[in-house]
Amino acid sequence: MNTSENSTHSLDSIVAFIFANLDETLTVESLSQQCRLSKFHFHRQFHTYTGINVGRFIQLARLKRATLQLVFNRQRRITDIAMDAGFDFPESFARALRREYG
């Protein structure tokens, strides 16, 4: 396996890790350590691989999970879903949903 294939495999694993750990504090530093890359190199490779930076990717992943909960988990309060998605206020959650999904 060449270096490019190793990088892709590592980034596939990191993306899966992010989705599996959305409730945790995910930082560029902690994710780069898992790939055994510097923060700078990891961030650059992640952006090349996904087309967006790490923080935005995590935010969008949390927002996507929240939208699924809004649709399929109607007994949960919107405020709780917003907090789980990393938003301090339902209003900021609503703005993010509107900005992303219209």
Side-chain angles (χ1 to χ4, degrees):
M1 197 179 287
N2 67 33
T3 306
S4 175
E5 290 172 346
N6 282 338
S7 295
T8 299
H9 176 69
S10 292
L11 291 170
D12 283 341
S13 297
I14 286 298
V15 167
F17 178 83
I18 289 169
F19 280 113
N21 293 281
L22 288 174
D23 292 328
E24 304 301 320
T25 301
L26 301 168
T27 64
V28 172
E29 185 172 358
S30 65
L31 296 171
S32 65
Q33 288 173 350
Q34 288 194 5
C35 286
R36 295 185 175 98
L37 296 170
S38 71
K39 289 188 298 187
F40 173 78
H41 192 66
F42 168 74
H43 195 272
R44 198 174 72 201
Q45 281 195 344
F46 191 90
H47 187 276
T48 299
Y49 181 70
T50 63
I52 56 177
N53 70 42
V54 179
R56 181 78 174 132
F57 183 89
I58 293 167
Q59 180 186 40
L60 289 173
R62 287 179 175 149
L63 199 56
K64 182 174 185 124
R65 180 182 66 174
T67 59
L68 292 171
Q69 289 177 354
L70 286 170
V71 172
F72 295 109
N73 197 354
R74 294 191 177 249
Q75 68 271 18
R76 284 201 70 206
R77 293 180 20 203
I78 293 173
T79 304
D80 294 335
I81 293 171
M83 297 289 275
D84 286 349
F87 294 91
D88 294 330
F89 303 100
E91 295 81 12
S92 57
F93 177 60
R95 275 193 304 275
L97 285 172
R98 210 174 5 262
R99 184 176 52 245
E100 198 57 41
Y101 299 111

